Amino acid sequence: MTQPHATRSGETIPATLIPGDGIGPEIVDSVVEILDALGAPFVWDRQLAGMAALQETGDPLPLKTLDSIRRTGLALKGPLTTPVGGGFKSINVTLRQEFELYANLRPARTLIPGGRFDNIDIVLVRENLEGFYAAMEHYMPIGHDPKAVAISSGFNTRTECRRIVRYAFDYALRNGRKKVTIVHKANILKALTGLFLDVGREVAAEYEGRIAMNDRIVDACAMQLVLDPWQYDVIVTTNLFGDILSDLIAGLIGGLGMAPGANIGTDCAIFEAVHGSAPDIAGRGVANPLALLLAAEIMLQHVGRGDLANRLSAAINETVLVAGIRTRDLGGDADTAGLTAAIRQRVA
Ligand code: NAI
C-alpha cells in the first residue's frame, strides 16, 4: 500500500484521466474498460497532456489539466512523449514538480515464472523532485561553437532526503517488508549523494529493530541486481539512479510491460506505467496494458479499496499465468483487445 485513504465501499471518487501519447490512448482505454467491469469507484475527468495536448491546444500541459488534477488530487496517466534534445520540458517531470509528488514508487514482482530470474519482489522508491533531474543545464560558448561546454548541476536538500527515506521506511513497515537499502554514490558525489546517505542513516536509526538497513554504491548495486537480486527488498535512492535502476529491475521481471509506477505527494498522487509512449508500436493494437493496469491496482490500494485491488490482481494472474493469455512482448499472441477482454471477463 502507498498512503491509504479510508474509503467506504460504494463511495465514488473523482479522478483525472490522461490518455497521453503513442500507445497511451490504447492502454488507457483497456484499463478503464477493466476497471469499469471491476466496479472501481473512479469517476473520470478526461484531460489532455503531452503531444496530444500540444497538437489540440498549443500547450503540452493545459491549465484545464492542471486544474483537474488540483481538484481531484488523483490521476491515472498514459505515457507522454518528450522531445529529445530540444522542445518542451518533460511534462512528467513538470507534473511531479507542480504537485510536489516527492516519492516515485516502482514495485517489481515476477508475474510470469520461468524467465531469467524467478521470484523477484523488489520495491524501488525514487526521490522525484531533486538531484540531477532539477535539470539546471546550460551551454558555454567557446569561439564559434555555442555549445562547446555542457554544464549541469543538481541539488539535494536535507528536508527532501529525510522525507523520501522516511517514506521508504514507512512503506516497508506498512507492507511487511524487512529491509531498506540506501543507494548512493557518496564516494564520488560526496556532497550531492553524501547528504542523502547521511540523512538516510539518521532516519534508519529511528526504525532500528523494526526495519533493517544497509547501503550500496549505485554501480555495485547494479551488478548485484543482476548477480543476486533476491538480496534486495526495498531500495531508496536519488532521482537519476532511481530512474536507471528501476528500468534494470523491470528487466528482471521480463521488461517494461509489467512495471507500474506511482508518484506520491502529500495532497496528490499520479499513477502510470514505467514505460514510455512506444511510438514504434502505437496505433497497431498490440500494446501490453498490464503495466498501467498494475498501476491502477496500486491506485485502488491508495484510495483504500484493497478489496478491489486484490480481485484485480487475481484476475490478472488467472489470465496471464493460468490461462497463458499474453501480448507479444511477453511471448504470447494476444492483442490489446484480446487481453483486455480476457481480464474483463475474469474481474466481472
Ligand atoms: P518506451 O518505453 O516507450 O519503449 C521502449 C520499448 O519497449 C519499445 O520497443 C516499445 O515498443 C516497448 N514497449 C514499451 N511499452 C510497451 C507496452 N506497453 N507494450 C509493448 N511494448 C512496449 O521507451 P522510448 O522508446 O525510449 O520512449 C518513447 C517516448 O516515451 C519518449 O518520448 C520518452 O520520453 C517517453 N517516455 C515517457 C514516459 C512517461 O510518460 N512516464 C516514461 C518513459 C519514456
Side-chain angles (χ1 to χ4, degrees):
M1 293 240 295
T2 51
Q3 292 166 331
H5 293 187
T7 305
R8 275 171 279 123
S9 156
E11 196 177 306
T12 57
I13 302 170
T16 306
L17 185 69
I18 300 174
D21 299 317
I23 60 169
E26 300 164 54
I27 58 174
V28 162
D29 284 351
S30 158
V31 168
V32 167
E33 200 179 317
I34 294 166
L35 289 178
D36 284 350
L38 179 71
F42 306 118
V43 180
W44 301 111
D45 179 20
R46 259 178 200 263
Q47 296 292 341
L48 294 173
M51 290 300 205
L54 186 68
Q55 277 150 18
E56 195 143 318
T57 70
D59 183 350
L61 186 54
L63 273 179
K64 263 183 77 185
T65 304
L66 289 172
D67 285 345
S68 172
I69 303 174
R70 207 162 283 128
R71 183 174 55 79
T72 61
L74 194 65
L76 183 66
K77 186 184 79 58
L80 306 176
T81 298
T82 306
V84 177
F88 57 82
K89 180 182 166 186
S90 161
I91 300 303
N92 295 312
V93 173
T94 308
L95 283 171
R96 290 166 193 164
Q97 286 168 347
E98 176 72 26
F99 295 104
E100 244 194 82
L101 306 174
Y102 65 92
N104 189 192
L105 184 70
R106 293 184 167 185
R109 189 192 291 252
T110 303
L111 200 59
I112 302 172
R116 270 186 233 160
F117 299 90
D118 263 336
N119 299 315
I120 298 292
D121 184 6
I122 300 172
V123 176
L124 185 127
V125 177
R126 163 191 173 195
E127 197 288 312
N128 228 3
L129 302 175
E130 303 191 334
F132 282 122
Y133 275 58
M136 296 185 293
E137 299 202 293
H138 62 277
Y139 294 104
M140 259 174 57
I142 297 180
H144 295 297
D145 184 354
K147 294 185 175 178
V149 184
I151 299 178
S152 181
S153 24
F155 69 90
N156 282 329
T157 60
R158 190 183 290 284
T159 310
E160 211 51 63
C161 293
R162 192 175 291 128
R163 180 156 70 159
I164 191 68
V165 178
R166 203 164 263 150
Y167 178 88
F169 276 87
D170 284 341
Y171 176 93
L173 267 186
R174 275 203 312 277
N175 290 277
R177 298 276 175 164
K178 302 278 178 277
K179 185 172 77 177
V180 173
T181 303
I182 298 173
V183 174
H184 58 89
K185 186 75 187 173
N187 53 330
I188 303 294
L189 298 170
K190 290 181 195 291
L192 191 73
T193 80
L195 180 68
F196 187 78
L197 177 60
D198 285 350
V199 173
R201 285 184 172 139
E202 281 165 31
V203 172
E206 297 168 22
Y207 295 81
E208 210 179 323
R210 294 181 292 165
I211 302 288
M213 171 270 190
N214 62 359
D215 75 275
R216 286 283 178 277
I217 294 175
V218 63
D219 36 347
C221 175
M223 182 192 64
Q224 288 174 345
L225 276 168
V226 176
L227 289 181
D228 177 19
W230 301 277
Q231 67 184 279
Y232 288 103
D233 187 352
V234 175
I235 292 175
V236 63
T237 188
T238 48
N239 209 334
L240 176 61
F241 299 158
D243 196 10
I244 297 167
L245 290 182
S246 65
D247 271 31
L248 191 164
I249 294 168
L252 300 177
I253 58 160
L256 288 170
M258 288 173 294
N263 299 285
I264 311 283
T266 329
D267 306 315
C268 181
I270 299 182
F271 300 82
E272 63 183 346
V274 169
H275 64 70
S277 54
D280 51 335
I281 56 164
R284 289 177 29 205
V286 296
N288 180 1
L290 280 182
L292 191 67
L293 193 58
L294 293 169
E297 188 186 314
I298 307 175
M299 184 169 169
L300 284 166
Q301 286 170 344
H302 180 78
V303 300
R305 293 303 306 268
D307 56 330
L308 295 180
N310 292 342
R311 258 176 57 204
L312 178 57
S313 172
I316 294 173
N317 275 333
E318 268 174 47
T319 309
V320 176
L321 207 55
V322 183
I325 302 169
R326 297 168 195 171
T327 44
R328 277 185 231 165
D329 57 306
L330 301 181
D333 58 8
D335 56 11
T336 314
L339 182 68
T340 306
I343 301 176
R344 195 188 54 210
Q345 239 178 31
R346 289 168 173 83
V347 293

